[in-house]
Amino acid sequence: MSTETEFYRLKECNVAQKRVLVRVDFNVPVDASGKVQEDTRIRAALETICFLRDAGAKVILMSHLGRPKGKPEARYSLAPVAAHLAEQLGQGILFVEDCIGEKVSSVVSQLQPGSILLLENLRFHAGETENDPQ
């Protein structure tokens, strides 16, 4: 199935007021100062993100960055990616410093239609690379 066909199917969905969890590929090079060096992968996701936002979805993005060993490492944080994404979208986005747990649940429960949340690096949890069903 082509990406174009998949996007067409997405356009058929009524996502207004719904939470939509999107796995994106934001594994992009970030320099030591936290600046995104090359953003092709981020730009590739913009059409989908904008469609969902404009359709009134509560957009929750998840990704990994680098190869941390199942624990948080500042150099692999998605915080700089969140800032870059906000710049590309021309709007603020929410960022939470985890991808599971009460803090994430609390932020998700308060999302408004058209808002965008980026979760912290999935690989900060060992279960991501170990394919843990939990």
Side-chain angles (χ1 to χ4, degrees):
M1 181 180 316
S2 75
T3 303
E4 186 175 309
T5 302
E6 291 167 355
F7 190 72
Y8 177 75
R9 287 185 178 173
L10 177 62
K11 286 184 174 183
E12 293 176 342
C13 297
N14 177 8
V15 296
Q17 308 279 329
K18 296 184 176 141
R19 293 174 293 187
V20 180
L21 183 63
V22 183
R23 176 74 183 245
V24 289
D25 183 359
F26 287 169
N27 189 22
V28 296
V30 178
D31 69 16
S33 69
K35 182 172 172 56
V36 172
Q37 296 299 295
E38 203 286 315
D39 70 351
T40 300
R41 292 176 175 179
I42 295 170
R43 286 184 285 114
L46 291 177
E47 183 178 9
T48 299
I49 295 167
C50 289
F51 169 77
L52 292 168
R53 175 199 62 196
D54 296 346
K58 302 170 186 181
V59 184
I60 306 159
L61 305 173
M62 60 181 183
S63 183
H64 76 274
L65 178 65
R67 294 183 183 267
K69 304 289 187 218
K71 62 182 185 246
E73 292 183 48
R75 69 183 176 144
Y76 294 125
S77 175
L78 283 167
V81 175
H84 188 85
L85 177 62
E87 193 176 289
Q88 292 294 308
L89 291 169
Q91 77 172 72
I93 68 166
L94 300 166
F95 177 74
V96 65
E97 295 175 340
D98 208 341
C99 60
I100 60 173
E102 288 297 319
K103 187 174 186 177
V104 173
S105 294
S106 176
V107 173
V108 167
S109 72
Q110 296 175 38
L111 289 176
Q112 298 299 310
S115 59
I116 300 168
L117 166 66
L118 177 60
L119 303 176
E120 183 56 279
N121 192 338
L122 297 174
R123 290 191 177 164
F124 283 180
H125 293 276
E128 162 66 8
T129 55
E130 295 169 2
N131 293 319
D132 184 344
Q134 298 263 352

